[in-house]
């Protein structure tokens, strides 16, 4: 049974007091807290198994290699990829999108091509494409959204053409929490012989993800938003696409051999097998171990249960926020159409004022553009305050949050 | 600016259309710093003893009891440093 009160016991940080109040952590869309199971896995790795991976014959290296490879396998299973060959570990979603932009985009996009992004994207799914567009001369086209922050599928279907080579779209908006219909977007992309890249930073931690069912070509996510440490994340890509792609970074680990020809005074380089071809240099081994522990923790809870818990919290929070006469909530009203992310503003206060006020009560929320300035411009918002929930949050915490907001409203 | 360094731990420029700076006071000196600021700036409003809306030479300032202060719509960080220096000097 999913019990957030029992789950809370696994998170040492939640016992903290801040400004004389019990910590209420509602900034989960930025990063999640870590359970002791993940902290212990990292500690155990460094205390018992630490060594560099691959190409060593000693015992410690074999243990570290096995753990690191197992982490790839568990990650593949978590999102239903075919095998670990389709899972590349990187620092996180941002680096994963940059990998696709440079390894795939640099070689496949031409001046006459178009890349579709939506107005609800995080900057990390806009900026790499805009940088590459300056180099290659292709056009980045922005697909409109509806006033409630949901994707305008008609706009997407009207924007796509023979020129479109890839649709880059978030699975869940990091501002409004809107869950996009990725299957529909993937179908649209493939009908036009385009690929689809899905930013899963806000979906993989919160709902079940099946990359085969979604039929996406690329799917990216960050470990730190799903209980794992910072500096580790993953890129999923269909094997047949990865095979054709050139490496992102060059260095050790990603090559099979660098054969120097003394007559020609040149090296002939061949790439390592998947996924190592895309993991140059000593990887974040311990990060991978931490990610594996986080995935095991989430799988024990069941991702369906995680999603249902957050949906209940979101529904409750929206209902209670409507009691606050000066509060405006953005995003779809129907909690089943969004993950546990609620952007809002309080009349007469900037988002930063709201965040600082709540900080006095030990309540951590985020304020500003949340790295999604085009979305704020589209919704005509100067910025927004954002509360975001996870597995350890409770209705009682929402009640305290509402009481604090009612205090600010009194002014 | 030694006087500012004595009291200020961090300065964050906010993101959003509002160009504000958030000044985070050193925890152990926050009460002393807020007292100085309250002596020099004009109090316009206080909310729940948590927020203090202040005005100093036409600059809008919102100070929080937990030692964080928002300076609103300042042109740049140099202006902020000058204002902070004036507020925190004896």
């Amino acid at each position: 049974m999913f019990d957030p009160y029992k789950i809370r016991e696994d998170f040492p940080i939640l016992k903290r007091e801040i400004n004389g109040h019990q910590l209420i952590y509602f900034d989960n869309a930025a990063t999640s807290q870590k359970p002791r199971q993940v902290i212990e896995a990292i500690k155990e790795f460094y205390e018992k198994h630490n060594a560099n991976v691959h190409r060593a014959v000693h015992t410690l290296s074999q243990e570290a290699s096995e753990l690191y490879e197992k982490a790839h396998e568990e990650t593949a299973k978590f999102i239903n990829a075919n095998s670990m060959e389709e899972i590349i570990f990187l620092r996180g979603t941002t680096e994963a999108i940059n990998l696709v932009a440079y390894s795939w985009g640099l070689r496949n996009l031409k001046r006459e091509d178009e890349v579709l992004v939506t107005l609800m994207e995080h900057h990390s799914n806009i900026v790499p494409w805009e940088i590459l567009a300056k180099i290659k001369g292709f056009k980045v086209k922005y697909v409109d959204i509806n006033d409630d922050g949901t994707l305008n599928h008609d706009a997407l279907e009207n924007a796509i053409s023979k020129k479109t080579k890839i649709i880059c779209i978030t699975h869940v908006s990091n501002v409004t929490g809107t869950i996009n219909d990725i299957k529909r977007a993937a179908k649209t992309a493939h009908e036009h012989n385009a690929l689809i890249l899905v930013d899963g930073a806000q979906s993989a931690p919160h709902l079940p993800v099946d990359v085969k069912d979604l039929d996406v070509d690329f799917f990216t996510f960050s470990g730190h938003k799903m209980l794992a440490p910072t500096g580790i994340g993953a890129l999923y890509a269909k094997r047949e696409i990865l095979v054709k792609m050139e490496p992102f970074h060059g260095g050790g680990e990603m090559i099979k051999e660098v054969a120097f020809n003394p007559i020609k005074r040149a090296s002939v380089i061949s790439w390592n097998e998947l996924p190592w071809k895309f993991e140059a240099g000593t990887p974040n081994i311990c990060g991978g171990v931490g990610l594996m522990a986080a995935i095991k923790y989430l799988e024990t809870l069941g991702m369906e249960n995680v999603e249902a818990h957050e949906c209940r919290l979101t529904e409750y929070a929206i209902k209670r926020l409507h009691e606050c006469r000066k509060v405006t909530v953005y995003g779809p009203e129907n909690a089943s159409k969004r993950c546990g992310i609620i952007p809002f503003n309080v009349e007469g206060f900037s988002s930063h004022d709201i965040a600082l006020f709540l900080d006095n009560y030990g309540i951590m929320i985020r304020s500003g553009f949340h790295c999604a300035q085009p979305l704020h411009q589209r919704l005509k918002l100067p910025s927004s305050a954002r509360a975001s929930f996870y597995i350890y949050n409770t209705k009682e915490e929402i009640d305290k949050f509402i009481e604090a907001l009612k205090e600010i409203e009194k002014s | 600016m030694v006087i500012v360094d004595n009291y200020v731990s961090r300065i964050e420029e906010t993101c959003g259309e509002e160009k504000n700076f958030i000044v985070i006071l050193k925890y152990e000196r926050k009460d002393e710093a807020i007292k100085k600021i309250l002596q020099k700036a004009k109090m316009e409003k206080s909310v729940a003893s948590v927020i203090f809306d202040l005005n100093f030479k036409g600059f809008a300032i919102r100070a929080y009891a937990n030692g964080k202060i928002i300076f609103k719509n300042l042109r740049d960080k140099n202006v902020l440093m000058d204002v902070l220096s004036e507020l925190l000097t004896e």
Side-chain angles (χ1 to χ4, degrees), chain A residues 322-334:
Chain A
H322 286 327
E323 293 171 14
C324 304
R325 58 198 162 80
K326 290 186 182 175
V327 170
T328 306
V329 176
Y330 311 105
E333 190 69 20
N334 185 344

Side-chain angles (χ1 to χ4, degrees), chain A residues 72-73 75-87 209-212 236-237:
Chain A
H72 282 72
E73 285 169 11
T75 305
K77 278 187 215 157
F78 183 65
I79 57 169
N80 198 30
N82 283 315
S83 76
M84 75 167 185
E85 286 188 315
E86 296 181 323
I87 300 294
V209 170
D210 182 333
V211 289
K212 279 192 277 201
Y236 156 83

Side-chain angles (χ1 to χ4, degrees), chain A residues 39-51:
Chain A
I39 298 166
E40 285 297 323
I42 293 166
K43 187 167 169 273
E44 183 172 310
F45 175 78
Y46 279 124
E47 286 182 351
K48 294 182 182 168
H49 309 292
N50 180 48

Side-chain angles (χ1 to χ4, degrees), chain A residues 76-132:
Chain A
K77 278 187 215 157
F78 183 65
I79 57 169
N80 198 30
N82 283 315
S83 76
M84 75 167 185
E85 286 188 315
E86 296 181 323
I87 300 294
I88 297 151
F89 279 177
L90 301 128
R91 282 187 294 159
T93 301
T94 299
E95 193 173 35
I97 295 170
N98 275 275
L99 185 153
V100 178
Y102 288 95
S103 289
W104 177 83
L106 199 60
R107 287 169 179 82
N108 289 285
L109 294 171
K110 301 180 193 71
R111 177 170 287 276
E112 60 274 20
D113 293 338
E114 289 176 354
V115 169
L116 294 192
V117 300
T118 80
L119 279 175
M120 71 168 81
E121 298 310 308
H122 188 284
H123 295 163
S124 63
N125 205 14
I126 294 174
V127 179
W129 302 108
E130 288 285 8
I131 291 173
L132 199 61

Side-chain angles (χ1 to χ4, degrees), chain A residues 109-344:
Chain A
L109 294 171
K110 301 180 193 71
R111 177 170 287 276
E112 60 274 20
D113 293 338
E114 289 176 354
V115 169
L116 294 192
V117 300
T118 80
L119 279 175
M120 71 168 81
E121 298 310 308
H122 188 284
H123 295 163
S124 63
N125 205 14
I126 294 174
V127 179
W129 302 108
E130 288 285 8
I131 291 173
L132 199 61
K134 282 198 169 62
I135 298 168
K136 301 288 290 182
F138 62 81
K139 188 176 179 191
V140 178
K141 272 173 82 173
Y142 290 80
V143 176
D144 198 14
I145 58 173
N146 299 312
D147 291 341
D148 66 352
T150 55
L151 181 67
N152 184 334
H153 276 280
D154 290 339
L156 177 70
E157 281 150 20
N158 288 333
I160 197 163
S161 72
K162 283 181 186 169
K163 292 179 181 178
T164 308
K165 292 294 174 285
I166 190 166
I167 295 175
C168 304
I169 183 172
T170 188
H171 195 172
V172 170
S173 163
N174 74 310
V175 178
T176 62
T178 302
I179 304 170
N180 284 325
D181 185 346
I182 294 300
K183 278 176 92 164
R184 183 173 169 185
K187 189 167 177 281
T188 303
H190 295 148
E191 282 171 356
H192 291 80
N193 296 317
L195 299 181
I196 183 165
L197 176 147
V198 175
D199 170 356
Q202 300 294 345
S203 64
H206 303 284
L207 47 90
V209 170
D210 182 333
V211 289
K212 279 192 277 201
D213 182 53
L214 294 173
D215 193 20
V216 293
D217 301 295
F218 301 103
F219 186 89
T220 67
F221 60 98
S222 300
H224 72 94
K225 293 185 198 289
M226 48 183 282
L227 313 178
T230 50
I232 188 76
L235 166 69
Y236 156 83
K238 286 177 179 167
R239 189 181 184 282
E240 61 266 30
I241 297 172
L242 286 175
V243 166
K244 289 180 194 162
M245 279 165 57
E246 292 294 309
F248 180 32
H249 293 143
E253 176 79 359
M254 50 74 71
I255 46 93
K256 189 173 281 174
E257 62 176 4
V258 181
F260 179 67
N261 182 326
I263 299 163
K264 292 184 179 171
R265 308 289 302 168
S267 294
V268 177
I269 304 170
S270 54
W271 311 134
N272 203 345
E273 295 164 356
L274 291 172
W276 320 123
K277 168 179 154 183
F278 292 100
E279 294 190 16
T282 297
N284 182 357
I285 307 161
C286 187
V289 171
L291 177 60
M292 176 164 60
I295 285 173
K296 282 181 182 169
Y297 190 94
L298 288 170
E299 283 179 335
T300 303
L301 297 177
M303 290 308 293
E304 290 84 359
N305 297 328
V306 171
E307 184 183 15
H309 171 68
E310 289 178 28
C311 188
R312 283 192 294 272
L313 287 182
T314 306
E315 200 168 25
Y316 182 69
I318 290 173
K319 185 178 137 226
R320 293 235 47 205
L321 280 164
H322 286 327
E323 293 171 14
C324 304
R325 58 198 162 80
K326 290 186 182 175
V327 170
T328 306
V329 176
Y330 311 105
E333 190 69 20
N334 185 344
S336 68
K337 287 187 176 174
R338 65 199 294 172
C339 267
I341 300 174
I342 305 178
F344 65 97

